[in-house]
Amino acid sequence: MWIDENKMKCKQQKLLEIHNLSLSFQRYGTWLRQESLEVISNLDFTVDKGEVVAVVGASGSGKSLLAAAILGILPPNAIVQGEIYYQGTRLTARLQEQLRGRDFALVPQSTTYLDPLMRVGQQADGHRKPRPTERRKKIFEKLSLPEKTGKLYPFQLSGGMTRRVLVATAMLTEAQLIIADEPTPGMGVEQALEALQMFRQMANEGKSVILITHDIDLAVLFADKVAVIYGGNTVEIASSRDFERGEEGLRHPYTKALWRALPQNGFEPVWGTQPYAGSCMKGCIFAPRCSMRTWECEEKMPPIRELREGEVRCYHAT
Amino acid sequence: MKMTGRKLIDIFIRNSIKMLSLLLAVSFLSFLLVSLSPIDPVGQYILGLQTAVSPEQRAEIEEYWGVNEPPVERYFHWLTEVLQGELGESVIYRRPVAEIIGERFINSLALMLCAWLISGIFGFILGIVMGRYYDRWPDKILKKICYILSSMPTFWIGLLLLLIFGVWLKWFPIGFSSPIGVLSRDVSLGEKIYHLILPAFTLSLMSFSGIALHTREKLWDVMNSDYVLFARTRGEDEWTILKRHGIRNVILPALTLQFSSFAELFGGSVIAENVFSYPGLGSAVSAAGLQSDLSLLLGITLFSALFVCTGNMIANLLYRIVDPGIREVKE
């Protein structure tokens, strides 16, 4: 009995928990046979209150779909398995619908996420009545957006302004969980730092942020922990400090390879390509590219296990 | 605001120049076609006089009309007359062409305007419904109806409606713009509208499915756009999204399409007016063509070109007023 209670307490500190999440798409193959294409499998990580979690991985590792899965805005042919808990309650489609725009906020990638024919101010205010125009103006000011920004149309904004307007939409809500999907591409270093600083600020105010990115360098500067995704799998969960310590601080061979691939750490490319999550592999998904692989790796997918205050999906990591 | 005003005037002038050159080309081509046709205007004129004319008298008329002048000279002669507003006299009606066009155009305008509004409003609403329920049963049924309507020829629909509502059910008159045997000044507005309903409905069916199917497709695109996805993540429900983003983004292309359909509308009115014996420009042009009334034919040709060009110009100007993407370009 007391274990259960303990578990409950534990879950209350955790804002979002993702357990064994898999995501596949139904599609028609040859001869109208239904096939399912798995893009995420065995995804695990948790987000605590006031924490910035960076989800990093190469393009095509299923990062953006993760955001859609949490928000419940996947296309109808997507099939989700596994569990997502929000404040200890399991997320259902209905709950997601209620939480969207209230507890969850998305900061999308680009200007295509703004209605081209609606003035930015009206758009940032959102559909809820009464319109929070005064508060929005303050937030715009705080983000150093010129006063006339509210009267502009999206096509009149610069890239940086668009980014800040999109961030403002999240700041306007009372959202506890902010999911930022690739917020930095196309920005200069200074702009990117500024944007990430805004997310850090929100986390310091007690909100939680999931930062989906492939820019490890920048993510490590602002995140508390980093979840590394490879082929739709979580391969490692490390704290940002582990990255600062370099290769020894990290656990999974893929994370180490990523670290080595950074310009300041040798610029060493990782050999091979990333497979699909559902590409009929029974063993470890990284095994074909791994220098540490043994027969065990090719036979069975390693479970995620705790290691040195982090988590790793590897038999051989120490 | 001042900038937009100046820009609009600029566009208006540029469009007007284009329109004038187009009208000139239309006048030249139609004159050329008419001169190449086997129609004998002098013969038609003499036929209309209903008296015997001797070959000498005929030669005199030909001399007076300048039939034997070179075609280019004749064209310029005609053009200067037209530019002065002198369109000539109709052989079949024995009245000035300008007068006939003016009178007939009011009838046609009422007909086309009604049809235009019916097809625009209902087509748009139907398109929204179809787009909203894309590939679900309401869409599937309505889409089939649209396909059937757009594959049926206008004259046939017209005959069908005439047969059902005019002949069998006797709900509507079978033709004309006013009751038979009543002086035109005694005809009430209600009666005019009553006579207008069936032809206007027929004409609207022609462009109706086009606008509906276009709106459907456009709405589907909008509903699958990134900004609608973002709206959804912000907690907007489907109905709010449709109101806030759907209609806003669909109405502009629909308006453009509707204004650029003036050409089809005019073409359709010829058919609808003939089926319902409605005294508009459309029935006048077919009468002029069949009875070789050259001045009337050329007059209406020029006038209809002007009408279609005006529609296109309105569409051009309107788009610049309504679309912020074009209106508020960065300096």
Side-chain angles (χ1 to χ4, degrees):
Chain A
M1 213 37 211
W2 64 272
I3 300 173
D4 264 343
E5 265 177 28
N6 235 5
K7 229 181 178 175
M8 283 300 288
K9 259 185 197 161
C10 222
K11 272 183 184 165
Q12 265 156 18
Q13 288 165 0
K14 288 171 181 166
L15 192 74
L16 190 82
E17 289 171 83
I18 298 174
H19 289 304
N20 225 346
L21 184 78
S22 318
L23 176 65
S24 49
F25 285 102
Q26 285 282 327
R27 61 168 192 188
Y28 286 101
T30 40
W31 299 105
L32 293 177
R33 206 179 297 140
Q34 284 226 327
E35 289 176 348
S36 70
L37 179 76
E38 198 164 48
V39 284
I40 291 179
S41 60
N42 310 312
L43 202 79
D44 292 85
F45 70 90
T46 56
V47 183
D48 292 340
K49 277 188 180 151
E51 196 177 46
V52 177
V53 177
V55 176
V56 300
S59 316
S61 58
K63 296 181 310 241
S64 290
L65 286 167
L66 172 68
I70 297 170
L71 290 162
I73 49 162
L74 287 163
N77 63 334
I79 300 159
V80 185
Q81 279 166 322
E83 294 117 55
I84 306 177
Y85 291 92
Y86 176 70
Q87 291 182 327
T89 321
R90 186 166 174 183
L91 279 186
T92 55
R94 186 130 185 217
L95 186 59
Q96 280 170 323
E97 210 182 307
Q98 289 168 3
L99 292 173
R100 285 202 294 263
R102 234 186 54 205
D103 281 38
F104 292 169
L106 176 77
V107 178
Q109 305 185 23
S110 63
T111 183
T112 59
Y113 287 83
L114 290 175
D115 187 331
L117 296 183
M118 196 188 283
R119 290 183 199 277
V120 168
Q122 189 190 350
Q123 206 158 169
D125 284 350
H127 66 292
R128 293 212 165 83
K129 301 266 158 66
R131 281 171 57 174
T133 309
E134 284 313 307
R135 220 152 56 79
R136 187 255 300 161
K137 281 184 179 159
K138 276 193 194 117
I139 290 171
F140 271 22
E141 206 185 315
K142 198 172 142 197
L143 298 176
S144 52
L145 284 164
E147 211 185 321
K148 62 165 179 68
T149 310
K151 291 212 166 60
L152 296 177
Y153 284 95
F155 75 93
Q156 292 167 308
L157 302 179
S158 70
M161 283 165 88
T162 306
R163 171 69 42 214
R164 277 174 280 168
V165 167
L166 290 171
V167 172
T169 62
M171 288 168 80
L172 254 170
T173 62
E174 297 295 317
Q176 295 305 304
L177 180 71
I178 290 134
I179 304 174
D181 189 6
E182 300 273 12
T184 51
M187 294 168 105
V189 178
E190 258 170 55
Q191 276 179 311
L193 286 173
E194 189 190 322
L196 292 174
Q197 187 56 46
M198 290 190 292
F199 292 118
R200 183 70 254 177
Q201 187 70 34
M202 286 191 233
N204 293 348
E205 284 160 14
K207 300 179 173 184
S208 303
V209 179
I210 297 179
L211 188 64
I212 296 172
T213 179
H214 55 245
D215 198 333
I216 301 180
D217 261 351
L218 283 173
V220 165
L221 284 178
F222 294 95
D224 295 290
K225 66 182 181 200
V226 179
V228 182
I229 312 288
Y230 179 76
N233 289 250
T234 320
V235 293
E236 176 165 352
I237 292 167
S239 76
S240 298
R241 267 167 307 170
D242 296 340
F243 276 87
E244 282 157 29
R245 279 176 56 209
E247 243 185 293
E248 311 88 72
L250 300 169
R251 299 159 190 85
H252 198 277
Y254 176 64
T255 323
K256 290 183 183 187
L258 273 186
W259 189 86
R260 280 198 302 275
L262 292 175
Q264 67 272 32
N265 304 333
F267 221 172
E268 193 182 306
V270 193
W271 173 85
T273 50
Q274 169 181 253
Y276 275 123
S279 48
C280 308
M281 286 174 61
K282 49 180 179 172
C284 172
I285 194 151
F286 189 62
R289 297 169 80 180
C290 187
S291 57
M292 288 161 73
R293 70 172 179 274
T294 55
W295 63 271
E296 201 182 3
C297 303
E298 278 160 23
E299 282 303 309
K300 207 170 151 268
M301 168 68 102
I304 195 145
R305 62 183 170 103
E306 293 197 7
L307 180 70
R308 290 190 276 117
E309 285 168 17
E311 285 170 63
V312 67
R313 192 186 291 284
C314 179
Y315 292 118
H316 308 295
T318 47
Chain B
M1 219 38 229
K2 243 181 178 172
M3 263 320 276
T4 10
R6 277 237 298 276
K7 232 179 242 166
L8 280 182
I9 292 168
D10 192 47
I11 291 156
F12 180 78
I13 292 168
R14 243 187 288 166
N15 263 300
S16 303
I17 293 169
K18 265 188 217 163
M19 199 158 97
L20 282 177
S21 52
L22 192 75
L23 281 176
L24 210 65
V26 168
S27 74
F28 177 74
L29 271 179
S30 43
F31 193 88
L32 185 75
L33 284 174
V34 162
S35 358
L36 290 177
S37 75
I39 296 172
D40 172 19
V42 181
Q44 285 297 323
Y45 177 71
I46 292 165
L47 216 65
L49 289 176
Q50 288 177 329
T51 47
V53 174
S54 67
E56 290 79 30
Q57 280 173 311
R58 191 192 158 104
E60 218 169 290
I61 294 169
E62 280 183 6
E63 183 62 33
Y64 178 71
W65 279 17
V67 175
N68 300 320
E69 284 171 31
V72 181
E73 221 163 282
R74 261 188 293 157
Y75 171 67
F76 281 110
H77 190 73
W78 173 71
L79 194 66
T80 37
E81 291 282 304
V82 167
L83 287 176
Q84 284 161 14
E86 185 54 62
L87 289 167
E89 191 165 293
S90 159
V91 179
I92 43 176
Y93 296 101
R94 298 274 155 196
R95 281 164 58 203
V97 168
E99 210 181 289
I100 297 169
I101 289 178
E103 190 180 285
R104 293 278 179 137
F105 179 61
I106 292 180
N107 282 340
S108 279
L109 192 69
L111 174 68
M112 287 191 278
L113 202 68
C114 285
W116 190 76
L117 286 174
I118 295 171
S119 72
I121 294 168
F122 285 98
F124 186 72
I125 293 172
L126 218 71
I128 293 283
V129 173
M130 287 196 285
R132 171 75 183 75
Y133 296 101
Y134 199 90
D135 260 354
R136 307 229 290 273
W137 66 266
D139 172 46
K140 280 181 181 162
I141 294 169
L142 290 173
K143 195 173 71 182
K144 284 197 179 88
I145 292 174
C146 280
Y147 283 148
I148 291 169
L149 280 180
S150 63
S151 49
M152 290 198 293
T154 314
F155 77 89
W156 189 73
I157 298 180
L159 285 175
L160 214 62
L161 290 175
L162 193 65
L163 197 65
I164 296 168
F165 296 105
V167 179
W168 290 349
L169 296 171
K170 294 193 169 52
W171 288 357
F172 293 104
I174 53 162
F176 309 110
S177 66
S178 52
I180 301 160
V182 181
L183 284 174
S184 60
R185 60 183 150 82
D186 295 336
V187 181
S188 68
L189 185 70
E191 275 170 329
K192 279 186 180 165
I193 293 172
Y194 180 54
H195 279 79
L196 193 70
I197 294 172
L198 221 46
F201 187 63
T202 307
L203 189 55
S204 75
L205 284 180
M206 192 188 62
S207 52
F208 169 82
S209 46
I211 188 106
L213 289 169
H214 174 268
T215 305
R216 163 185 186 265
E217 216 47 54
K218 206 67 204 160
L219 187 67
W220 170 247
D221 287 346
V222 169
M223 293 311 261
N224 284 291
S225 66
D226 284 346
Y227 54 89
V228 163
L229 190 74
F230 184 48
R232 220 167 266 151
T233 70
R234 298 180 73 196
E236 291 184 27
D237 57 54
E238 293 301 303
W239 184 238
T240 315
I241 287 173
L242 185 69
K243 276 192 298 182
R244 248 171 90 85
H245 307 288
I247 290 171
R248 183 189 297 266
N249 281 280
V250 163
I251 201 153
L252 260 178
L255 265 180
T256 324
L257 189 72
Q258 193 61 1
F259 271 99
S260 56
S261 71
F262 273 28
E264 286 170 56
L265 200 64
F266 198 89
S269 78
V270 176
I271 295 160
E273 285 177 12
N274 274 303
V275 170
F276 291 94
S277 323
Y278 190 86
L281 273 184
S283 53
V285 77
S286 55
L290 288 173
Q291 296 175 44
S292 311
D293 189 342
L294 291 185
S295 7
L296 187 59
L297 193 62
L298 283 172
I300 295 178
T301 306
L302 277 182
F303 185 79
S304 57
L306 183 73
F307 176 74
V308 171
C309 284
T310 311
N312 290 345
M313 184 152 89
I314 293 172
N316 264 339
L317 291 174
L318 201 72
Y319 217 84
R320 279 175 170 78
I321 297 167
V322 186
D323 186 359
I326 300 178
R327 183 184 47 192
E328 297 185 20
V329 197
K330 261 189 264 175
E331 284 88 46

